[in-house]
């Protein structure tokens, strides 16, 4: 397998400044000594990006992600952060398409397509989230639901641009609920996504595309998820807020590297 293994922690809107510093310090102190086969990504709230990026600079297998960006490069958009600003701060990734952004901030396919293009334009890599709500899973139409998310917001990219994208499959019914997709459910959807990438682009690109699982990933279930051949890593929410839990998930990935 020639694709990058990644464990990413999405802190969402959690941790005050001191807590964020403590969490980042705790993760980085151990990360330094861990296998460089696993790329570790930290996605803290925006105000901490610069500091945590500086703290992680000397560890080559650690990168930092923003949780959002605007689609315009600059301008009168009070409160927003552009991909160009992130690039100027040397932030490697931006998470786009998270279900919480879709739900609470009305980010539809069209807005997300613009944000995806903006990140590529600025030279910021993307962690693109997709995933279905419970009613879609119950009606067994999750594949067409996820395909539409990919087609409408991601597949306008060229082959070269698509190489800058990591996909995260995050079934909404598993986010913050304690209910994880079974390894088989995760594998089925990851394989489906990879096939779609191969169909739209090339088999080589699909084989090299990292696809992460997100949704109540924790130390107790990480190893079984990572045992699936198309699960290249995880996008972790709640369990990334405790250094010990997050580090255990990274270890689980490293053990199967
Ligand atoms: P939880 O791990 O808390 O379910 O969150 C997953 C997620 O939304 C990561 O982006």
């Amino acid at each position: 397998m020639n694709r990058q293994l990644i464990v990413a922690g999405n802190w969402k809107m959690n941790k005050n400044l001191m807590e964020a510093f403590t969490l980042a310090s705790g993760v980085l102190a151990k990360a330094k000594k861990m296998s460089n086969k696993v790329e570790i990504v930290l996605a803290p709230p925006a105000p901490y990006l610069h500091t945590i990026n500086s703290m992680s600079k000397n560890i080559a297998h650690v990168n930092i992600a923003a949780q959002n960006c605007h689609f315009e490069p600059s301008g009168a958009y009070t409160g927003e952060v552009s991909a160009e600003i992130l690039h100027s701060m040397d932030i490697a990734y931006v998470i786009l398409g998270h279900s919480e952004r879709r739900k609470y901030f009305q980010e539809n396919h069209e807005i997300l397509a613009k944000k995806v293009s903006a990140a590529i334009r600025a030279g910021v890599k993307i962690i693109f989230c997709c995933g279905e709500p419970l009613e879609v899973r119950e009606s067994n139409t999750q594949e067409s639901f996820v395909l539409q998310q990919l087609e409408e917001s991601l597949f306008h990219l060229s082959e070269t641009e698509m190489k800058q994208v990591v996909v995260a499959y995050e079934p909404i019914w598993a986010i913050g609920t304690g209910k994880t997709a079974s390894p088989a459910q995760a594998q089925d959807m990851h394989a489906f996504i990879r096939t779609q990438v191969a169909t739209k682009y090339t088999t080589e690109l699909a084989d090299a595309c990292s696809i992460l699982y997100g949704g109540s990933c924790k130390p107790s279930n990480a190893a079984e998820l990572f045992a699936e051949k198309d699960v290249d890593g995880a996008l972790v929410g709640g369990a990334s807020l405790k250094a010990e839990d997050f580090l255990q998930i990274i270890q689980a990935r490293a053990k199967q590297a």
Side-chain angles (χ1 to χ4, degrees):
M1 186 175 67
N2 60 348
R3 47 186 181 264
Q4 180 65 53
L5 305 175
I6 302 172
V7 175
N10 176 8
W11 297 5
K12 308 190 180 182
M13 195 175 71
N14 292 297
K15 304 291 178 187
N16 67 27
L17 178 61
M18 275 315 295
E19 292 164 348
F21 182 79
T22 304
L23 176 56
S25 306
V27 171
L28 294 173
K30 295 265 171 61
K32 211 181 284 184
K33 300 170 205 147
M34 290 169 101
S35 160
N36 62 7
K37 285 189 196 145
V38 180
E39 179 180 352
I40 301 166
V41 178
L42 301 179
Y48 313 145
L49 283 170
H50 183 63
T51 305
I52 295 178
N53 199 33
S54 303
M55 288 164 69
S56 69
K57 266 288 150 261
N58 59 346
I59 317 175
H61 60 286
V62 175
N63 278 308
I64 305 301
Q67 298 175 15
N68 180 33
C69 72
H70 195 264
F71 49 77
E72 292 293 344
S74 64
Y77 299 97
T78 301
E80 292 293 315
V81 174
S82 69
E84 276 73 6
I85 292 174
L86 297 176
H87 180 71
S88 77
M89 292 162 69
D90 203 19
I91 299 300
Y93 288 98
V94 60
I95 298 173
L96 293 174
H98 195 283
S99 59
E100 289 148 18
R101 299 289 319 170
R102 294 177 192 261
K103 179 176 176 193
Y104 301 123
F105 302 95
Q106 291 75 47
E107 294 194 358
N108 57 26
H109 296 312
E110 193 187 344
I111 290 172
L112 288 170
K114 283 165 59 171
K115 291 190 172 198
V116 161
S117 294
I120 296 294
R121 175 190 69 217
V124 179
K125 291 190 279 186
I126 298 165
I127 299 175
F128 182 83
C129 303
C130 56
E132 78 287 354
L134 185 59
E135 62 273 19
V136 168
R137 171 61 63 168
E138 283 174 342
S139 66
N140 200 28
T141 52
Q142 63 273 11
E143 290 190 347
S144 56
F145 187 93
V146 167
L147 179 56
Q148 192 185 8
Q149 292 180 319
L150 299 175
E151 278 181 337
E152 302 219 5
S153 305
L154 198 57
F155 283 177
H156 62 287
L157 295 180
S158 70
E159 193 180 327
T160 309
E161 291 167 343
M162 187 62 190
K163 289 182 183 157
Q164 304 304 309
V165 176
V166 170
V167 177
Y169 169 56
E170 299 208 309
I172 298 169
W173 46 271
I175 297 178
T177 58
K179 198 172 182 305
T180 319
S182 69
Q185 285 173 320
Q187 169 56 30
D188 285 353
M189 183 57 88
H190 284 223
F192 173 77
I193 293 169
R194 201 176 305 288
T195 302
Q196 298 312 313
V197 174
T199 305
K200 172 70 191 172
Y201 299 94
T202 62
T203 309
E204 292 70 38
L205 196 156
D207 281 345
C209 179
S210 301
I211 305 179
L212 315 182
Y213 169 79
S216 299
C217 180
K218 44 193 180 240
S220 60
N221 61 26
E224 60 183 27
L225 287 160
F226 297 153
E228 298 295 337
K229 71 177 171 54
D230 286 293
V231 179
D232 304 312
L235 180 54
V236 185
S240 73
L241 299 174
K242 282 193 200 143
E244 206 39 58
D245 287 0
F246 188 57
L247 288 161
Q248 278 184 44
I249 295 171
I250 299 164
Q251 290 284 21
R253 182 62 282 188
K255 266 189 202 154
Q256 298 185 62

